[in-house]
């Protein structure tokens, strides 16, 4: 009876029309960009302000719906019918959230925003608007009062900041409950059972929730978290309470800090000092860490254990970050209550954590063998005015270029590799792409000749070997990502263009032209070490590849693509680069990124390797014709 009522309610929620439709903020954002290129600045302001408003409304609606439906349908599991009662609640929550969101937003599918656009908004506005209030007004104010030895006011601010933090933590976790994408499972033979599918989805959500520590420690407009952020609240509070004469709360806060850093010698010494001041009748063991800290740490450790156990059991890689890194010795000059008070430095508790690009910890060499007689060295780093740069010709033949371009036009999809955005870098060009595994899958299905699909795999391996050999690397260079990509100029949108096909950037760090720095931190692909572009054609206008100085303006080298030409370079801030506008025709290339760390090998490439090994074994056993569809032989 319960199940019947549930499914009726789910059906009704699916049929119920929505009453309001919120314009997706990514479309408004793109309209603002397009207006900018038309020099229509009033429209720019209009669309950008509306995009920001809708972003905020979308986020708040999702929070309200997800938290509200969780409260409306609490989880009550009956031992004998645990699976039915569990999934009854899950289905009820799903229907509740769907109806709630669509009644406010319209069709939820309209708000599937790409990660690129999400990143743009993340870097420009706070991750959490509530976070701005408690971080900027409370935490920062608490630090200032602490510096001024106004401990009563400092306590008030830090306590409010803690309440805001835990409230924001609940909201952050709720935002993790959205759909997940399983890129690593999108290959030919993957079939998941019910419990495998549930486990896959749940672990991705749990890992997202676990990372809320990092999200909530990041100040608006910054990309790096404040070091040791949550524990510092208790550190400041323990001494503030001591100075206000409240030993019990000082001990509670000191013990709370030790939950995060059990071996911190300074706080352990503070605890001993506080205990020595307690009345003899007071049992020191009765003074425990604060429940908010204890509950948070218990959950955080349990999450870590579950995710790491799942990584081992399900066969994926997870490296637990050090969420409570202190960045060396603590800055608090008041760590010993008996010490002479001195003014705190301005960075106390407010370390930005930004890291500039690291110097490459290996010897930089180039000029190694090109391995293949037909490959010609055109220019080295000296001519290209930089470091670890090379231009090569004749890497593949005219016929191979033609075959690959033909394959590209058959298998590439608009927005593939760009989170579904057909014009990710400029509204004046269409981007289409495909991976090696997708090419082999199409070959297996008979949609393209398997020989042509295999060619994509082979030429990318050839390029990898050449780059590894030329730069004389003494360790294996692994694929990090391989992408067959074509960008096409859109007709009617090329007059008076002043944008780039791909803006100036670096491949493993965040280029900051104003600071003349490149920050090696998320969301950059910090594990990438070398990059290469293998061009398939040159019959288009524009599209030159350029290297620049770190100001992203001063061009140091410009390279015109043509069939068989390869540009290789190290991926860091020493090599900012971009692509000039393609104003006519289509520009196709094989884009390759490599890593020296096997942990970050391209999963699709490993799956493609398995497909190739299977094909090679079949070929040896039965002489498979690579120009036909393997299914036709069954």
């Amino acid at each position: 009876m319960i199940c019947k009522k549930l499914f009726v309610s789910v059906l009704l929620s699916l049929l119920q029309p929505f009453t309001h439709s919120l314009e997706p903020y990514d479309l408004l954002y793109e309209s603002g960009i397009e207006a900018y290129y038309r020099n229509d600045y009033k429209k720019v302001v209009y669309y950008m302000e509306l995009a920001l408003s809708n972003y905020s409304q979308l986020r708040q609606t999702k929070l309200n719906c997800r938290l509200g439906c969780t409260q409306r349908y609490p989880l009550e599991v009956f031992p004998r019918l645990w699976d039915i009662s569990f999934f009854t609640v899950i289905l009820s929550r799903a229907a509740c959230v769907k109806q709630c969101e669509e009644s406010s937003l319209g069709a939820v599918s309209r708000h599937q925003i790409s990660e690129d656009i999400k990143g743009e908004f993340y870097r420009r506005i706070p991750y959490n608007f509530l976070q701005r209030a408690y971080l900027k007004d409370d935490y920062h104010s608490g630090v200032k009062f602490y510096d001024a030895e106004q401990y009563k006011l400092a306590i008030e601010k830090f306590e409010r900041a803690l309440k805001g933090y835990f409230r924001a933590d609940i909201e952050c976790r709720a935002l993790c409950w959205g759909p997940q994408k399983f890129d690593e499972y999108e290959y030919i033979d993957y079939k998941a059972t019910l419990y495998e599918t549930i486990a896959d989805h749940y672990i991705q959500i749990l890992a997202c929730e676990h990372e809320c520590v990092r999200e909530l420690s990041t100040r608006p407009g910054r990309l790096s978290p404040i070091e040791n952020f949550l524990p510092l609240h208790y550190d400041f509070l323990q001494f503030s309470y001591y100075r206000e004469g409240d030993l019990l709360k000082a001990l509670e806060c000191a013990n709370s800090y030790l939950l995060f850093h059990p071996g911190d010698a300074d706080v352990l010494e503070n605890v001993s000092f506080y205990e020595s001041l307690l009345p003899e009748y007071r049992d020191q063991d009765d003074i425990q860490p604060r429940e908010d800290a204890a509950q948070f740490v218990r959950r955080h450790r349990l999450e870590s254990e579950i995710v790491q156990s799942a990584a081992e059991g399900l066969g994926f890689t997870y490296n637990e970050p050090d969420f409570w890194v202190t960045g060396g010795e603590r800055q608090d000059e008041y760590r010993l209550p008996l010490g002479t008070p001195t003014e705190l430095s301005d960075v106390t508790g407010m370390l930005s954590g930004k890291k500039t690009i690291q110097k490459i910890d290996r010897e930089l060499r180039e000029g190694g063998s090109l391995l293949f007689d037909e490959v010609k060295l055109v220019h080295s780093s000296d001519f290209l005015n930089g470091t670890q740069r090379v231009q090569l010709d004749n890497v593949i033949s005219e016929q191979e270029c033609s075959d690959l371009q033909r394959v590209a036009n058959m298998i590439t999809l608009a927005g593939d590799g760009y989170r579904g955005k057909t014009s990710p870098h400029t509204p004046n060009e269409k981007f289409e792409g495909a991976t090696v595994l997708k090419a082999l899958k199409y070959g297996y299905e008979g949609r393209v000749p398997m020989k042509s699909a295999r060619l994509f795999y082979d030429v990318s391996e050839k390029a990898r070997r050449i780059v590894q050999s030329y730069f004389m690397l003494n360790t294996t260079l692994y694929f990090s990502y391989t992408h067959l990509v074509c960008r096409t100029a859109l007709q009617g949108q090329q007059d008076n263009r002043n944008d780039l096909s791909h803006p100036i950037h670096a491949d493993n760090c965040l280029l900051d032209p104003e600071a003349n720095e490149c920050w090696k931190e998320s969301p950059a692909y910090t594990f990438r070490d070398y990059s290469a572009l293998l061009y398939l054609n040159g019959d288009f206008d524009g599209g030159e590849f350029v290297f620049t100085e770190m100001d992203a303006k001063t061009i140091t080298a410009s390279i015109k693509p043509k069939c068989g030409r390869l540009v290789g370079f190290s991926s860091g801030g020493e090599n900012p680069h971009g692509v000039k506008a393609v104003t006519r025709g289509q520009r196709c290339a094989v884009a390759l990124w490599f890593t020296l760390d096997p942990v970050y090998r391209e999963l699709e490439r490993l799956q493609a390797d398995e497909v190739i090994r299977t094909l090679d074994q079949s070929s040896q056993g039965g002489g498979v014709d690579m120009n036909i569809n393997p299914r036709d032989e069954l």
Side-chain angles (χ1 to χ4, degrees):
M1 188 66 180
I2 293 176
C3 291
K4 183 177 180 181
K5 288 182 178 179
L6 168 65
F7 289 118
V8 170
S9 67
V10 171
L11 181 61
L12 290 175
S13 71
L14 293 174
L15 295 175
Q16 182 175 351
F18 52 83
T19 59
H20 174 67
S21 179
L22 183 73
E23 186 73 10
Y25 71 82
D26 61 333
L27 299 182
L28 295 168
Y29 181 65
E30 288 187 347
S31 297
I33 293 175
E34 292 174 1
Y36 176 82
Y37 289 124
R38 297 195 306 269
N39 297 322
D40 188 349
Y41 299 115
K42 287 185 178 180
K43 288 287 187 180
V44 172
V45 172
Y46 170 78
Y47 283 120
M48 289 301 181
E49 287 184 347
L50 190 55
L52 289 170
S53 174
N54 285 15
Y55 172 90
S56 176
Q57 187 175 340
L58 174 68
R59 179 185 176 281
Q60 194 59 49
T61 298
K62 287 185 175 182
L63 279 175
N64 293 341
C65 291
R66 293 175 187 181
L67 293 176
C69 291
T70 300
Q71 294 177 352
R72 183 176 178 183
Y73 296 99
L75 187 59
E76 297 178 0
V77 178
F78 302 98
R80 292 187 178 181
L81 299 172
W82 73 267
D83 53 343
I84 295 177
S85 57
F86 173 78
F87 283 108
T88 296
V89 172
I90 296 302
L91 290 171
S92 297
R93 288 182 181 179
C96 173
V97 170
K98 182 179 185 297
Q99 183 176 351
C100 176
E101 291 187 356
E102 290 196 346
S103 65
S104 298
L105 304 175
V108 176
S109 60
R110 299 179 69 228
H111 300 279
Q112 299 296 322
I113 311 299
S114 75
E115 293 300 317
D116 291 335
I117 298 297
K118 288 180 183 177
E120 290 291 314
F121 275 70
Y122 177 81
R123 288 190 289 271
R124 285 162 174 76
I125 64 177
Y127 166 81
N128 187 313
F129 293 103
L130 179 60
Q131 178 202 9
R132 171 181 290 188
Y134 81 75
L135 176 60
K136 192 170 184 180
D137 297 334
D138 293 329
Y139 179 79
H140 189 54
S141 295
V143 173
K144 288 184 176 180
F145 286 130
Y146 184 90
D147 289 350
E149 301 183 35
Q150 298 181 42
Y151 298 110
K152 185 175 181 179
L153 292 173
I155 289 170
E156 179 185 340
K157 292 296 183 181
F158 284 127
E159 292 289 7
R160 287 179 58 183
L162 274 174
K163 289 180 181 178
Y165 182 96
F166 291 122
R167 188 163 58 247
D169 181 65
I170 293 173
E171 295 186 358
C172 177
R173 291 173 181 277
L175 290 175
C176 290
W177 302 343
Q180 305 292 323
K181 186 177 181 181
F182 305 94
D183 293 323
E184 60 269 36
Y185 297 144
E186 292 179 358
Y187 57 95
I188 298 169
D189 296 324
Y190 178 70
K191 295 181 178 66
T193 66
L194 168 66
Y195 294 112
E196 287 173 332
T197 302
I198 293 173
D200 289 338
H201 196 101
Y202 176 69
I203 287 301
Q204 291 201 47
I205 290 174
L206 188 63
C208 174
E209 292 186 10
H210 196 58
E211 287 282 334
C212 282
V213 172
R214 184 181 302 278
E215 303 288 357
L216 297 179
S217 300
T218 303
R219 282 190 287 170
R222 293 294 187 92
L223 294 168
S224 293
I226 298 170
E227 293 179 355
N228 204 31
F229 180 59
L230 179 57
L232 276 171
H233 289 69
Y234 298 104
D235 196 9
F236 284 121
L237 281 169
Q238 58 98 8
F239 184 72
S240 298
Y241 275 121
Y242 162 73
R243 291 300 296 266
E244 285 296 305
D246 195 333
L247 286 176
L248 295 182
K249 289 188 176 180
L251 259 175
E252 286 179 350
C253 291
N255 286 329
S256 299
Y257 184 88
L258 290 174
L259 292 175
F260 301 92
H261 300 292
D264 190 295
D266 298 321
V267 176
L268 285 170
E269 188 173 346
N270 284 11
V271 168
S272 297
F273 175 75
Y274 298 148
E275 290 176 343
S276 71
L277 300 178
L278 287 175
E280 294 182 2
Y281 62 83
R282 190 79 195 206
D283 189 346
Q284 300 169 2
D285 293 336
D286 290 341
I287 305 175
Q288 298 296 317
R290 289 169 48 152
E291 182 56 31
D292 55 3
Q295 183 176 347
F296 183 90
V297 171
R298 280 197 301 269
R299 174 166 185 156
H300 190 77
R301 289 175 179 167
L302 181 59
E303 288 172 348
S304 177
E305 292 172 4
I306 293 174
V307 174
Q308 294 190 60
S309 175
E312 182 177 347
L314 299 177
F316 64 90
T317 301
Y318 177 75
N319 297 313
E320 174 81 1
D322 187 352
F323 291 106
W324 318 123
V325 62
T326 59
E329 220 171 299
R330 291 165 59 228
Q331 299 292 323
D332 189 357
E333 297 295 335
Y334 294 160
R335 57 187 180 272
L336 298 178
L338 292 178
T340 303
T342 58
E343 186 175 358
L344 284 173
S345 80
D346 185 52
V347 299
T348 302
M350 297 297 290
L351 302 177
S352 70
K354 266 196 175 181
K355 298 186 179 88
T356 57
I357 52 173
Q358 303 296 314
K359 292 185 178 179
I360 301 173
D361 57 354
R362 61 182 182 273
E363 183 181 356
L364 299 182
R365 297 183 295 175
E366 61 180 280
S369 169
L370 298 178
L371 300 180
F372 302 91
D373 293 339
E374 68 273 15
V375 177
K376 176 184 176 183
L377 174 63
V378 180
H379 297 307
S380 63
S381 293
D382 289 340
F383 185 89
L384 296 174
N385 301 310
T387 302
Q388 297 279 278
R389 300 175 179 179
V390 67
Q391 177 184 337
L392 306 173
D393 278 350
N394 303 330
V395 174
I396 57 177
S397 67
E398 292 283 350
Q399 184 61 52
E400 288 172 324
C401 285
S402 177
D403 289 347
L404 280 174
Q405 195 170 8
R406 188 179 307 111
V407 168
N409 287 321
M410 296 172 69
I411 70 172
T412 56
L413 290 178
D416 181 280
Y418 301 98
R419 306 289 183 181
K421 305 303 293 185
T422 59
S423 301
H425 304 302
T426 169
N428 302 307
E429 298 173 25
K430 179 177 70 173
F431 286 68
E432 299 165 294
T435 62
V436 168
L437 186 63
K438 181 178 178 181
L440 292 174
K441 180 180 179 181
Y442 274 39
Y444 175 81
E445 294 172 349
R447 299 163 73 172
V448 298
M450 180 57 80
K451 181 178 180 180
S452 299
R454 173 71 184 256
L455 178 63
F456 181 14
Y457 176 92
D458 290 338
V459 299
S460 56
E461 171 61 18
K462 181 179 183 180
R464 185 198 67 82
R465 292 181 58 200
I466 291 172
V467 171
Q468 177 179 300
S469 178
Y470 178 79
F471 288 114
M472 305 173 72
L473 303 176
N474 57 8
T475 185
T476 302
L477 196 62
Y478 301 96
F479 287 99
S480 169
Y481 189 55
T482 313
H483 202 219
L484 177 58
V485 59
C486 296
R487 57 190 78 197
T488 306
L490 297 178
Q491 293 185 358
Q493 295 184 208
Q494 303 306 315
D495 294 340
N496 303 315
R497 278 189 67 178
N498 59 1
D499 64 332
L500 296 175
S501 176
H502 198 146
I504 304 300
H505 64 284
D507 284 344
N508 74 5
C509 53
L510 304 174
L511 193 62
D512 187 346
E514 294 182 2
N516 205 39
E517 295 284 2
C518 202
W519 309 111
K520 197 165 185 179
E521 59 182 26
S522 178
Y525 300 99
T526 57
F527 48 83
R528 290 177 175 172
D529 293 296
Y530 283 88
S531 309
L533 289 309
L534 175 59
Y535 298 108
L536 306 184
N537 66 317
D539 55 341
F540 52 85
D541 291 341
E544 293 88 348
F545 177 92
V546 295
F547 287 112
T548 73
E549 299 285 2
M550 291 188 71
D551 62 5
K553 297 178 181 178
T554 306
I555 295 177
T556 57
S558 179
I559 299 168
K560 176 67 177 176
K562 73 171 188 176
C563 167
R565 175 162 289 173
L566 182 143
V567 179
F569 50 94
S570 57
S571 303
E574 66 277 4
N575 283 319
H577 59 279
V579 179
K580 290 186 176 181
V582 177
T583 57
R584 182 192 64 83
Q586 183 185 65
R587 177 189 190 269
C588 293
V590 177
L592 304 133
W593 292 272
F594 307 105
T595 179
L596 295 170
D597 188 343
V599 169
Y600 295 103
R601 285 179 293 180
E602 181 182 12
L603 184 58
E604 280 207 9
R605 188 75 190 197
L606 297 178
Q607 296 161 1
D609 292 341
E610 291 294 326
V611 174
I612 291 297
R613 276 192 286 271
T614 301
L615 290 173
D616 287 345
Q617 291 171 0
S618 300
S619 179
Q620 293 171 3
V624 175
D625 186 347
M626 300 294 283
N627 287 295
I628 64 173
N629 178 2
R631 290 185 174 178
D632 291 341
E633 296 298 290
L634 299 179

